[in-house]
Amino acid sequence: MELRSVWRRLKDTFRKWCPAFVIAFVLTLAAHVFFMSERGICSAGVQFNYTGIENGYDPSGNRFDAAEMKNAQVIRQAAEAMGQSATDEDVERIQNALEIEGEISDDAFQQITKNTSIFGKGQLSEATEVKENTYFPSHYTLKLHYADAGFTAQDATRYLAELLKAYEPYFYEKYGYHVSFQNSLRNADYRTYDYVDSVEILDDHLQALRDYLVYMDNQNNVRFVSRETGYSFTDLIGTIDTIRRENVQWVTSYIISNNMTNDRTKLMDYYRYKIEDAERTLQQQDARLFTLNTQIESYVKTNAFFPMLGDTVDGSDAQPSNFELSQPSQMYDDLINEKVACQTSISEIQEQISMLNRRIERLEAAESSGNVEMLETQLKTIDDKIQQLLSDIQRTSDEFYKSEWLKNAFQVLREPTIRAFSFSLKTTALDIVTVEAFLFGLWILVSSFHVLRADKRPETEKEQVSK
């Protein structure tokens, strides 16, 4: 009965506290809206979708850096798309105004955190424990504080859209087909070299292209055939092998057999220099081989001994014997492999020296002959085939990256939009509940104190009257 009476009297004081609860609610909400909200923001949402992003890696297997989306090159391209120029100061200002936030879902957050009691099982007190596994986001929000970047609200929406458009080809160029690789081969001018050097340069270009196509073919698990070119990577590799076997070898043979050169003396001096350089390398390899042989001969492997009992003869006790087994050694195997590689290198160097000596002897023994115009035509034919091959490789590789290996690797999930102000509803609600809970507890405490004091007054007055 006393508790009900106390609670009834507490409820009577609640009306006096109602304005305080309402004022606290309004002030907390206003503080979030006007002081804790973000103003003047243009935001967009993007997603990365490829194998490895869930572990925080980029398509090349390196650590993924979301800040690449505000790369200086991308920022300048977006400004140029709007018909504006961007100085270094403009680029830095826009980079500072761009904010990139990774998004984490509630399910993912629950998976990487859990509540654990600090007193033991069954206790109420808990602490949040972060598990060992880490979450790497694949969804990101780009926020452009357009006032800080020097944009109006209308220009900010357009600029952020152009930024995302510029980043997509930047992404595929960086992690897909490398245009710089193509340009380095396309811009090489073989005409500035002697005939035999020109052929070697063309052959090196073809070998580089072949290595690249072999790498691409190893990434291909779907038997990809380009719809645009009609080629697979295997087809392109076969084309390169045909050019090297039919065209390059024929031209090389024609040049050497006819001693064709632009400057005989200069070419022989160049060959002599290459021989001297090869002989120095040969001496280094010989010394390396001697060291490897010494290490191999002095290397002692670890042996394992297993005790065994011999057969019984004439009823006598068997004499124990040991079975010895040599243990495998990675270091010993590495030494053997290095020795084989060193011997192979020595053989190749010796063959190169012999070839250069034969070329010098041929140049000294006979004058140059052959048809220069026909040779130039053949070199031009090989170069044209390489240029066409580069074009086919680029189109085939681009299609493979965009349609198979990096299909939908970068997507814009939410187009740029303007928000006059924004604040977190979850954080705001939590703060409001916290403030209201504090006021509720304060109301209980203060009202209870006054009720108890009111109950003690009549007892004190009765004691004084009795005295």
Side-chain angles (χ1 to χ4, degrees), residues 221-340:
N221 298 320
V222 294
R223 297 183 179 180
F224 172 77
V225 177
S226 173
R227 295 181 180 179
E228 182 179 356
T229 63
Y231 293 130
S232 66
F233 294 118
T234 305
D235 296 334
L236 295 172
I237 292 173
T239 301
I240 290 178
D241 291 339
T242 301
I243 295 174
R244 298 181 71 184
R245 182 175 58 252
E246 301 297 332
N247 298 92
V248 175
Q249 288 186 4
W250 185 90
V251 171
T252 303
S253 174
Y254 187 81
I255 291 172
I256 294 175
S257 60
N258 290 282
N259 287 332
M260 300 189 70
T261 176
N262 295 328
D263 190 329
R264 176 191 297 268
T265 303
K266 183 178 179 180
L267 183 59
M268 287 192 295
D269 291 340
Y270 175 62
Y271 284 160
R272 292 188 182 99
Y273 168 77
K274 293 184 70 174
I275 290 173
E276 292 177 0
D277 185 63
E279 288 175 344
R280 287 192 294 268
T281 305
L282 184 61
Q283 292 177 357
Q284 295 173 359
Q285 293 296 322
D286 284 334
R288 175 61 178 162
L289 182 60
F290 176 79
T291 303
L292 289 171
N293 286 328
T294 303
Q295 291 177 335
I296 291 172
E297 291 173 0
S298 61
Y299 189 87
V300 178
K301 283 189 175 183
T302 303
N303 294 329
F305 295 91
F306 299 92
M308 299 181 64
L309 293 176
D311 296 333
T312 302
V313 180
D314 299 332
S316 61
D317 294 336
Q319 297 296 324
S321 61
N322 292 327
F323 176 73
E324 184 177 348
L325 179 65
S326 178
Q327 296 294 303
S329 172
Q330 183 64 40
M331 181 177 293
Y332 183 82
D333 294 341
D334 291 340
L335 289 173
I336 295 297
N337 292 333
E338 288 186 32
K339 176 182 177 180
V340 173

Side-chain angles (χ1 to χ4, degrees), residues 323-372:
F323 176 73
E324 184 177 348
L325 179 65
S326 178
Q327 296 294 303
S329 172
Q330 183 64 40
M331 181 177 293
Y332 183 82
D333 294 341
D334 291 340
L335 289 173
I336 295 297
N337 292 333
E338 288 186 32
K339 176 182 177 180
V340 173
C342 188
Q343 289 174 331
T344 302
S345 177
I346 290 175
S347 298
E348 291 175 350
I349 295 173
Q350 290 174 341
E351 176 60 28
Q352 181 185 16
I353 292 174
S354 299
M355 179 195 67
L356 293 173
N357 282 323
R358 288 194 300 270
R359 288 188 180 182
I360 292 175
E361 293 174 358
R362 184 182 292 273
L363 288 171
E364 291 175 339
E367 295 292 332
S368 298
S369 60
N371 190 326
V372 176

